[in-house]
Amino acid sequence: TGLERTDDGFIVSAESMGELRRYTAPRVACVSGRYNKPQMPRIEGLESFIGKALHAFEFTDPKIFAGQKVLTLGNSISGLEIAAELAKDPSVQVVSACRKPRYLIQKLKDGVPADWRWFNRAALFVGRTLPPEQASAGLAEQVLALHGNPADFGGLAPSENMMEAGLGQCQDYLPLVEEGRIRCMGMPVRVAGSKVTFADGSTESFDTI
């Protein structure tokens, strides 16, 4: 509820369980979230969808999707995690669509957390010192050796340029794609009623997007 700068740092006022408290801190980090405002994709006719179209912000309980055919959009962490969570229920058919396929890494591989392996000072140093093409090639070699190409699991093939494709994270997504529990498609171009049309011209009906 309040933030005051002092000679030694900050005084933070916060309300907890109806009680106002004050804390002192040498530093303050504001971490309200990069994506704190839901934004729906712009797809022609999405407003006409007669099933339920909801944002990841509204995803709370996977059990309510039992027996449904669900289309998930996007392959950042939320999209990947939701698709994987739904696909663990054999009664749910999951189609995962995205604009740009990414290389995918597991959060834990051979007992090593992803942030220890990929998001550390050594990786930062490499990114700042090597030419982009060389850094991209080296990263691609390591990712492919440890996690494989999504296309080898039945997913969509990313660009050969690792920096252009980017990385996504999910522990169970690719194994579920390989099992056939998640089917991958390009981003849809049009929605009409319950039907969704994809860029390749195919059309499918869904209960939820």
Side-chain angles (χ1 to χ4, degrees), residues 2 25 113 148 169:
Q169 288 186 71

Side-chain angles (χ1 to χ4, degrees), residues 134-156:
Q134 192 175 347
S136 176
L139 179 61
E141 183 179 347
Q142 293 182 58
V143 169
L144 290 171
L146 278 167
H147 301 282
N149 190 315
D152 296 335
F153 294 82
L156 302 179

Side-chain angles (χ1 to χ4, degrees), residues 103-110 112-127 135-148 162-163 167-171:
Y103 290 90
L104 303 180
I105 59 178
Q106 291 182 301
K107 295 182 176 180
L108 187 69
K109 179 71 173 177
D110 300 330
V112 180
D115 53 340
W116 288 16
R117 192 188 300 273
W118 305 108
F119 309 107
N120 52 43
R121 291 185 182 184
L124 183 66
F125 178 77
V126 167
S136 176
L139 179 61
E141 183 179 347
Q142 293 182 58
V143 169
L144 290 171
L146 278 167
H147 301 282
M162 179 70 69
M163 298 304 184
L167 288 175
Q169 288 186 71
C170 187
Q171 189 68 22

Side-chain angles (χ1 to χ4, degrees), residues 19-77:
E19 182 181 350
L20 187 64
R21 299 182 180 181
R22 288 166 65 86
Y23 306 89
T24 59
R27 296 176 181 83
V28 173
C30 296
V31 288
S32 57
R34 181 179 177 187
Y35 302 112
N36 58 1
K37 293 183 180 178
Q39 182 176 339
M40 296 294 277
R42 294 177 181 173
I43 300 172
E44 179 186 334
L46 181 60
E47 68 284 351
S48 74
F49 184 61
I50 61 174
K52 187 167 186 178
L54 64 153
H55 192 275
F57 266 48
E58 302 170 79
F59 182 83
T60 54
D61 184 0
K63 295 186 183 68
I64 67 175
F65 301 94
Q68 294 190 20
K69 185 175 180 181
V70 181
L71 173 63
T72 65
L73 304 178
N75 63 350
S76 290
I77 291 179

